Amino acid sequence: MQQFLLLLRYFRRQPRFLALIAVFTLATSLLAALQPWPMKLLADHILGSAPLPGPLHRALEALSLDSGATVLLGIVVIGTLLLFALNSLMDVALTWCWTVAGRRMVYDLAEDLFARLQSRSMLFHKRNTVGDIMSRITVDSWCVYQAAESIVFSPAHALLATIIMVFLMAQLDAQLTLLALIAAPFMVAASFLLGKPLRAAAKIKREIESRVHAHIQQTLTGIPVVQAFAQEEREALRFQKFADAAIRSQQRSALLGSVNSLSSGLITTLGSGLVLWVGARHVLGPQHLGIGSILVFLVYLNSLQAQMKVVAGLYTTAQGLSANMHRVAEILETPPEVADKSDAALLPPVRGSVRFENVTAGYELGYPVLKNISFSAQAGQTIALVGATGAGKTTLVSLIPRFADPWQGRVLIDGHDARDIRLKSLRDQIGIVLQESFLFPLTVAENIAYGRPDASRGEIEAAARAANAHGFISALPEGYETVIGERGATLSGGERQRLAIARALLKDPPILILDEPTSALDAETEHSIIDALRRLMKHRTTFVIAHRLSTVRRADCILVLKDGEIIESGTHEELLARKEHYAHLNRIHSAEAPSLHAAAI
Ligand code: GTP
Ligand code: MG
């Protein structure tokens, strides 16, 4: 219910269309009630001999028409046609209104979901698959339209039509109407009870279908691994298993659906049979119910059953939608883990000093990954982070652009607590180059200018030159206009990395984070981009994480991390002189890769 209220705001954004839909819904309810009346005129007053109803008689007199059979027959035909035409027109208008209003609501919601999901933390995105997130935006967002249509308007229409018809039926035969109305709650209850297994089956069906999607997505995302380990067959078998389960669940769902409609059909037929039996006795009995009236009654009864089914199905529909609504609400209601405070200030252009004060942080409560970290980096310095894998290096640098917030302590940028400044103004001043650089399927130029879409071609080229990338870009089939990933325009690891460096150079941030920017590359390629990296690091506060110690020797300060704590800090020479952890690491490293010393930054 609460989730439904959440969606109401999307209905409210379409007031004009919803008003139109309400008017048309009212009109169709009235038209549905008028439908059998020409037939009554035919049966009672043309074929039968009952006197014309007063209003019609007066209307004919006013138009100076006689009340002969031909004129009346004409009225019946024209009336039937007119009702049909009006009904069809209303249908077209309603469909059009729903198409526009429905799509607008859905895209409105999808837009909000997209924005929300974009602002969720890295941790959230690590934990949720892209497939799941995609289906929330593209599939689940339809629930707003379905909720408006099937929870609000259809039942409202059904209720309205029922009220009008019950009122008219009561004029014809009160006793019969009462009987029809007593049967109604039984029909509703039976339909609800019978629908229970159907709903359970539908839920299982949805779950299995989403597993099929997830399997496709995971396999295709990991296709290099699948192919490298020649596991295509196993993945195909798993797909087959999921597909079989999906088919079985669909079979079950379809079977239960037919059983459900059969049994609820039987119940409604039983109800209408009873009403018909009593109705026929009233025609024959002293009540002298007209033939035309019983025709009207029959049509209404039919329509009444249909309307009641809509009302009875309301719960089922709401149940079916509630899973989607829940998934949507989960995103809309959860505030982003990292967000601007209401009074967050703009971070003025910084010089680039970064200070950690007793920072404790982690991913799971109770398991801190960083413990009481304190250090400070002056503007323009290079700070290197070394330590075993899992020591917390990536976690530490991720606090600077606020990918996460510390549990305790503060991160200060030029003296400003990172939590008090606007995220965008903070991140605008930080450049990041990771181990694997993601490039969008856009042109090379657009990829380089991703952080500054307004950059001129001259600036883009200058950045590419500084990143030692101009050479290979010029050799691409369409140079800077080559779309990455298209027609075989794939790049090697070193080339991708140089584009990432160019991207960071163009952004020209005072603070730079390099998380193992060269560890995915071979020594030769590393050598070719070290130069570019050195240019990138000049005049910026740089945090560089490296497993290869050769890349960190020239750092102004080296922080040695172990199990989330800084166990040593100082320059290369100072740390060597201490002859402890760093010196030990250095010894191992020298033994392993002596050739890399030549490539030191
Ligand atoms: P390398 O990149 O392998 O050199 O390690 P690192 O020093 O960068 O370690 P990182 O900061 O990535 O991880 C530190 C600890 O946090 C490790 O024990 C990880 O298992 C843990 N960790 C990292 N990311 C996550 C996460 O998303 N969720 C959880 N629960 N733990 C995480
Ligand atoms: Mg790391």
Side-chain angles (χ1 to χ4, degrees):
M1 189 62 201
Q2 198 191 346
Q3 297 148 9
F4 178 70
L5 293 179
L6 194 72
L7 295 182
L8 271 183
R9 94 172 92 129
Y10 294 92
F11 305 173
R12 270 189 306 218
R13 286 188 201 162
Q14 309 299 331
R16 261 188 302 165
F17 278 101
L18 292 192
L20 274 178
I21 290 171
V23 171
F24 289 140
T25 304
L26 183 69
T28 46
S29 308
L30 283 170
L31 281 176
L34 286 178
Q35 214 99 48
W37 289 88
M39 217 162 45
K40 181 170 157 56
L41 187 67
L42 178 75
D44 285 352
H45 309 288
I46 302 175
L47 302 178
S49 54
L52 277 183
L56 182 63
H57 189 71
R58 279 194 294 280
L60 285 177
E61 260 182 6
L63 293 169
S64 51
L65 287 169
D66 66 10
S67 52
T70 323
V71 172
L72 289 180
L73 213 53
I75 292 177
V76 168
V77 172
I78 291 171
T80 309
L81 278 176
L82 216 62
L83 281 174
F84 174 77
L86 271 176
N87 221 343
S88 307
L89 259 178
M90 290 294 154
D91 257 0
V92 172
L94 262 178
T95 311
W96 183 76
C97 283
W98 269 124
T99 311
V100 180
R103 289 325 181 262
R104 281 191 187 175
M105 286 193 276
V106 170
Y107 281 107
D108 233 17
L109 175 60
E111 221 175 283
D112 279 2
L113 287 173
F114 184 59
R116 287 276 179 159
L117 285 162
Q118 276 208 99
S119 67
R120 294 303 293 267
S121 70
M122 296 285 170
L123 189 58
F124 172 87
H125 287 285
K126 268 197 225 170
R127 286 181 181 165
N128 292 277
T129 62
V130 177
D132 177 75
I133 291 176
M134 291 247 313
S135 84
R136 285 184 202 236
I137 299 180
T138 57
V139 180
D140 295 329
S141 57
W142 279 90
C143 70
V144 63
Y145 161 72
Q146 283 160 342
E149 210 265 347
S150 56
I151 299 187
V152 180
F153 280 94
S154 284
H157 167 77
L159 213 67
L160 206 68
T162 305
I163 292 172
I164 297 172
M165 285 188 287
V166 167
F167 174 76
L168 292 173
M169 278 160 93
Q171 312 293 313
L172 297 177
D173 189 324
Q175 201 188 356
L176 213 53
T177 311
L178 204 65
L179 191 68
L181 287 181
I182 290 171
F186 286 105
M187 298 200 273
V188 174
S191 172
F192 169 67
L193 286 176
L194 289 167
K196 223 171 180 177
L198 183 66
R199 287 192 292 279
K203 191 165 168 234
I204 294 173
K205 191 182 99 180
R206 273 199 304 276
E207 278 169 9
I208 292 178
E209 277 168 357
S210 88
R211 252 182 270 161
V212 173
H213 285 155
H215 178 66
I216 297 173
Q217 197 234 334
Q218 278 166 18
T219 311
L220 295 183
T221 315
I223 198 73
V225 183
V226 174
Q227 293 189 350
F229 286 85
Q231 294 298 317
E232 294 91 335
E233 212 164 301
R234 189 173 65 157
E235 299 301 346
L237 275 177
R238 278 180 62 193
F239 182 88
Q240 204 178 12
K241 228 174 70 194
F242 283 133
D244 285 346
I247 292 170
R248 272 197 304 278
S249 72
Q250 272 160 14
Q251 277 173 333
R252 194 177 140 73
S253 189
L255 191 71
L256 282 172
S258 340
V259 170
N260 180 49
S261 61
L262 182 76
S263 38
S264 60
L266 268 178
I267 289 169
T268 42
T269 314
L270 219 76
S272 55
L274 183 73
V275 172
L276 255 179
W277 189 59
V278 176
R281 288 178 70 92
H282 283 195
V283 175
L284 301 172
Q287 289 92 340
H288 295 299
L289 190 66
I291 297 279
S293 298
I294 202 150
L295 284 177
V296 171
F297 212 94
L298 276 177
V299 172
Y300 279 1
L301 203 62
N302 222 354
S303 159
L304 212 56
Q305 279 173 12
Q307 309 302 353
M308 274 172 186
K309 266 190 196 149
V310 172
V311 178
L314 185 60
Y315 183 79
T316 322
T317 319
Q319 281 265 303
L321 277 178
S322 86
N324 304 73
M325 290 203 278
H326 179 75
R327 282 162 58 81
V328 163
E330 213 170 46
I331 303 297
L332 290 182
E333 282 181 325
T334 321
E337 297 80 354
V338 176
D340 280 343
K341 281 186 184 170
S342 55
D343 57 349
L346 270 183
L347 180 65
V350 294
R351 292 182 51 244
S353 78
V354 176
R355 196 178 151 80
F356 274 54
E357 283 181 2
N358 309 100
V359 169
T360 297
Y363 303 94
E364 311 286 341
L365 276 180
Y367 299 96
V369 169
L370 295 177
K371 295 156 209 155
N372 207 21
I373 299 278
S374 296
F375 69 86
S376 60
Q378 307 303 324
Q381 280 192 332
T382 296
I383 308 293
L385 294 157
V386 299
T389 168
K393 306 178 294 291
T394 300
T395 310
L396 190 152
V397 293
S398 72
L399 299 179
I400 303 170
R402 274 190 83 197
F403 288 152
D405 280 331
W407 297 349
Q408 276 166 20
R410 306 193 292 169
V411 175
L412 302 164
I413 316 286
D414 266 22
H416 303 272
D417 188 330
R419 277 172 298 203
D420 295 336
I421 46 193
R422 286 205 210 148
L423 265 182
K424 180 157 168 51
S425 68
L426 170 69
R427 292 182 182 165
D428 272 348
Q429 305 196 46
I430 300 174
I432 302 175
V433 179
L434 300 172
Q435 187 175 339
E436 298 266 342
S437 292
F438 182 80
L439 298 175
F440 292 94
L442 303 170
T443 65
V444 169
E446 284 166 331
N447 265 293
I448 296 178
Y450 188 72
R452 264 189 56 201
D454 59 331
S456 70
R457 175 49 66 88
E459 288 172 308
I460 293 174
E461 278 193 31
R465 275 179 210 280
N468 283 350
H470 183 73
F472 80 81
I473 295 173
S474 309
L476 288 171
E478 284 162 66
Y480 282 85
E481 295 308 319
T482 311
V483 175
I484 291 177
E486 236 174 44
R487 276 174 278 142
T490 48
L491 302 175
S492 73
E495 290 165 342
R496 299 173 76 86
Q497 210 57 333
R498 275 177 275 170
L499 282 194
I501 293 171
R503 182 157 70 182
L505 269 169
L506 186 64
K507 191 177 172 188
D508 195 18
I511 299 169
L512 185 66
I513 295 169
L514 307 173
D515 193 348
E516 303 184 29
T518 60
S519 63
L521 312 175
D522 60 76
E524 202 175 321
T525 319
E526 179 177 7
H527 192 72
S528 75
I529 71 165
I530 289 259
D531 203 34
L533 276 176
R534 206 181 299 165
R535 242 170 264 158
L536 177 60
M537 290 161 71
K538 211 178 249 169
H539 311 305
R540 300 174 211 280
T541 314
T542 307
F543 292 84
V544 55
I545 299 177
H547 277 300
R548 299 180 191 177
L549 298 189
S550 52
T551 51
V552 306
R553 301 175 121 212
R554 291 198 186 180
D556 297 293
C557 180
I558 300 169
L559 305 176
V560 184
L561 252 77
K562 190 179 177 206
D563 296 333
E565 286 174 289
I566 298 178
I567 50 168
E568 267 182 358
S569 66
T571 61
H572 177 70
E573 286 72 26
E574 285 166 6
L575 292 178
L576 279 186
R578 284 181 64 141
K579 298 196 168 122
E580 285 185 32
H581 302 276
Y582 182 80
H584 176 65
L585 284 176
N586 192 57
R587 255 198 320 280
I588 302 171
H589 178 73
S590 315
E592 270 177 4
S595 63
L596 282 185
H597 280 273
I601 300 178

